[in-house]
Amino acid sequence: MNFREEYNRKLKSLDEILYLVKSDYEVCVALAGAEPMDFLGRLHEIKDEVQNVSVLTCLNMANYKFTSEPDMEGHFINNTWFYSPLTRKAHQNRTASFLPNHLHLAARQRLGYRRPNIFVGTATPMDKHGYFSLSLSVTYEREYIEAADIVILEVNENYPRTYGDTFVHISEVDYIYESNRKPPELTIVEPNEKDMIIGNYIAELIEDGSTIQLGIGGIPNAVSKALINKKDLGVHTEMFTDGMVDLYNAGVITNKKKTLHRDKFIATFALGTKKLYDFIDENPAVEFKRGCYTNDPYVIGQNYKMVSINTSLQVDLTGQCCSEAIGHLQYSGTGGQSDTAIGAQNSVGGKSIIALYSTAKNDTISTIVPMLSQGAAVSLSRNDVDYVVTEYGVAPLKGRTIRERVRNLISIAHPNFREQLKKDAEKYMIW
Ligand code: COA
């Protein structure tokens, strides 16, 4: 087989690729760091040729005109499994719509409803056997490659070649275009004092030998710093982060005590800085597995002492967490929050932890509330939260009645709001 000839035959210019998109198509693209940014960055150019194109994304990395410009309405709709700050803006133009999901079921549920006409992903250059690596994400990409009528890859030598379920053969690909842009990088914000207080409370809950998952947001970065004195931690996570690289280099993460995939990091996507991308490049210690596997609560639960650590925006006095909306407005997504928390519940010695600041908007509002705001989505059921942590301490919820939960949650609310919370609990008979 001469794979190079096949490659050259399939190689097109981005101009030619763009015109493969037709009216009423569903075009799915890879997640976040693996987003085909050149394709999305120029999609608006065919606006006048198409109508009603669904562009299915997850955590947009740039301010793409096809969704940010108000005159795209009717031509493109950015359907997405996870809002980023950029999608929040597009939402106001009616050019974005949220697709509710638990991440491990995202692909299966959408595919059960609608077949993709086109999938576009980002991949590393082809090897001598004809394989590309999907690099930064296999959350749903493999399923969409298997289901799409047309599979397109942006081939880019700047992306890390990762191992696991990441490989795609040239025979599965219809068209290729090449790019040499750099992968998007997250700005890592140094944890502030409040983050570190929360990180240290969480570190107290994590025993040596635990396997951890860290979610998206500022607090999980602080948690990785607070774990520096732990021993033999393992990682089974949806998102692979810079903090995990630091803990590995410091000898804290060894993956040696894991009861599933011993000696390996397991993740489904990576998002961070060049340090992270260099670490996962051709690293046999890291396996990226499909989201339907990595985030399956029954798989996660096979890890002994599995600890999930995620962040929320609002928690009610019974423990219901809204982590993806501010009132009725979509803010982010459920992602794997519920998957990983239920997984931790399934694990022997596991713990599911939710962390948040006790207040928002310069201490003017409490994030611990008697009832979630009108229209807020419950991202995580109160049945699946073991601990809620703020800068005022740890509220254990597992096995606790509503009365006990109210008491524990009020004790970690900001002192300015505790009396009012007590009155509200009485008024609404939350006991
Ligand atoms: N009411 C109003 N505003 C609130 C609020 C509340 N109850 N709680 C927080 N906010 C505001 C904050 O003040 C802040 O606004 P600012 O940027 O103007 O200061 C904003 O909401 C939250 O800050 P942000 O920096 O966007 O949060 P983050 O990056 O730390 O992410 C989540 C926090 C909860 C949005 C994020 O973790 C998430 O989407 N989680 C759900 C998915 C998940 O956990 N997946 C897990 C596997 S990766």
Side-chain angles (χ1 to χ4, degrees):
M1 275 292 201
N2 189 333
F3 298 126
R4 188 47 56 183
E5 267 178 23
E6 191 173 348
Y7 183 98
N8 290 338
R9 217 173 42 247
K10 292 176 174 178
L11 183 63
K12 303 284 171 207
S13 69
L14 191 47
D15 289 313
E16 293 171 285
I17 297 281
L18 287 170
Y19 282 92
L20 295 169
V21 177
K22 308 285 182 217
S23 292
D24 302 317
Y25 268 21
E26 170 133 305
V27 180
C28 176
V29 300
L31 173 146
E35 219 168 45
M37 297 182 80
D38 286 0
F39 172 83
L40 291 176
R42 289 192 48 198
L43 195 54
H44 62 279
E45 292 175 17
I46 59 160
K47 160 184 166 273
D48 294 332
E49 318 292 326
V50 296
Q51 298 212 320
N52 195 31
V53 175
S54 156
V55 185
L56 186 52
T57 67
C58 195
L59 194 51
N60 295 13
M61 289 281 106
N63 199 22
Y64 304 115
K65 284 190 177 165
F66 84 87
T67 177
S68 64
E69 305 274 310
D71 64 346
M72 295 293 154
E73 192 189 352
H75 299 279
F76 299 102
I77 174 86
N78 184 189
N79 293 320
T80 182
W81 281 300
F82 203 95
Y83 269 26
S84 73
L86 306 160
T87 338
R88 273 173 233 149
K89 283 197 197 132
H91 185 92
Q92 293 167 13
N93 301 335
R94 309 170 72 97
T95 49
S97 184
F98 182 68
L99 180 46
N101 67 99
H102 290 303
L103 203 73
H104 82 287
L105 295 172
R108 195 204 301 173
Q109 290 181 340
R110 182 69 178 177
L111 286 170
Y113 161 66
R114 191 165 179 190
R115 187 186 163 91
N117 302 92
I118 296 180
F119 170 80
V120 195
T122 304
T124 58
M126 183 178 75
D127 68 13
K128 63 183 178 187
H129 303 291
Y131 283 98
F132 305 87
S133 162
L134 290 172
S135 189
L136 294 181
S137 177
V138 282
T139 312
Y140 51 81
E141 291 76 359
R142 279 279 357 163
E143 287 87 333
Y144 268 78
I145 286 172
E146 285 151 21
D149 297 331
I150 301 172
V151 173
I152 301 167
L153 289 184
E154 175 181 307
V155 172
N156 190 322
E157 64 185 6
N158 298 319
Y159 274 65
R161 188 174 176 79
T162 57
Y163 296 144
D165 296 335
T166 52
F167 292 102
V168 180
H169 195 255
I170 180 80
S171 55
E172 297 176 276
V173 180
D174 297 290
Y175 300 104
I176 292 155
Y177 69 91
E178 292 176 338
S179 171
N180 62 3
R181 66 176 173 82
K182 298 271 186 270
E185 291 188 46
L186 279 188
T187 310
I188 308 288
V189 182
E190 276 303 302
N192 59 32
E193 201 182 333
K194 220 186 312 186
D195 293 328
M196 284 315 300
I197 294 172
I198 294 175
N200 287 324
Y201 279 130
I202 293 175
E204 283 172 28
L205 295 170
I206 299 178
E207 297 168 38
D208 291 340
S210 296
T211 293
I212 58 168
Q213 170 267 338
L214 291 175
I216 195 162
I219 295 174
N221 294 339
V223 175
S224 11
K225 289 208 185 304
L227 292 176
I228 198 71
N229 294 319
K230 299 287 166 184
K231 290 190 180 56
D232 281 324
L233 297 184
V235 170
H236 184 115
T237 189
E238 168 186 325
M239 174 166 149
F240 200 113
T241 64
D242 276 60
M244 293 170 182
V245 179
D246 296 337
L247 287 173
Y248 182 81
N249 290 336
V252 175
I253 291 175
T254 61
N255 292 314
K256 290 206 176 313
K257 294 276 166 74
K258 286 179 81 179
T259 47
L260 183 71
H261 302 293
R262 201 180 145 187
D263 296 328
K264 302 270 187 199
F265 283 94
I266 298 296
T268 194
F269 74 90
L271 190 57
T273 69
K274 187 168 183 311
K275 174 174 74 182
L276 168 63
Y277 303 153
D278 287 344
F279 180 80
I280 60 180
D281 184 39
E282 298 195 340
N283 189 341
V286 186
E287 282 198 19
F288 286 86
K289 295 194 166 290
R290 294 177 192 229
C292 63
Y293 175 83
T294 305
N295 269 28
D296 181 336
Y298 295 97
V299 172
I300 295 170
Q302 290 169 45
N303 291 292
Y304 177 56
K305 289 198 212 169
M306 179 77 220
V307 185
S308 71
I309 303 143
N310 292 304
T311 317
S312 195
L313 295 169
Q314 205 178 41
V315 178
D316 79 11
L317 285 177
T318 73
Q320 302 194 94
C321 298
C322 169
S323 314
E324 62 183 84
I326 296 189
H328 57 280
L329 281 176
Q330 191 67 38
Y331 189 81
S332 56
T334 310
Q337 182 161 123
S338 193
D339 295 342
T340 51
I342 296 172
Q345 305 272 304
N346 290 340
S347 152
V348 177
K351 291 173 186 164
S352 91
I353 301 173
I354 284 290
L356 77 173
Y357 294 165
S358 66
T359 59
K361 305 284 170 216
N362 291 327
D363 290 346
T364 55
I365 51 173
S366 175
T367 56
I368 311 279
V369 288
M371 278 166 283
L372 296 180
S373 299
Q374 199 171 12
V378 177
S379 314
L380 186 59
S381 153
R382 62 194 186 182
N383 306 341
D384 298 315
V385 190
D386 289 347
Y387 299 94
V388 179
V389 181
T390 70
E391 68 276 23
Y392 291 100
V394 177
L397 303 191
K398 181 150 69 177
R400 285 10 181 230
T401 62
I402 298 294
R403 189 184 298 259
E404 291 159 343
R405 285 167 178 239
V406 168
R407 189 187 57 219
N408 293 351
L409 283 165
I410 290 178
S411 77
I412 62 157
H414 190 286
N416 291 353
F417 296 96
R418 288 182 197 166
E419 281 314 308
Q420 187 59 44
L421 285 168
K422 280 181 198 158
K423 284 184 194 154
D424 287 340
E426 285 298 311
K427 179 175 165 191
Y428 298 115
M429 295 197 283
I430 310 171
W431 56 54

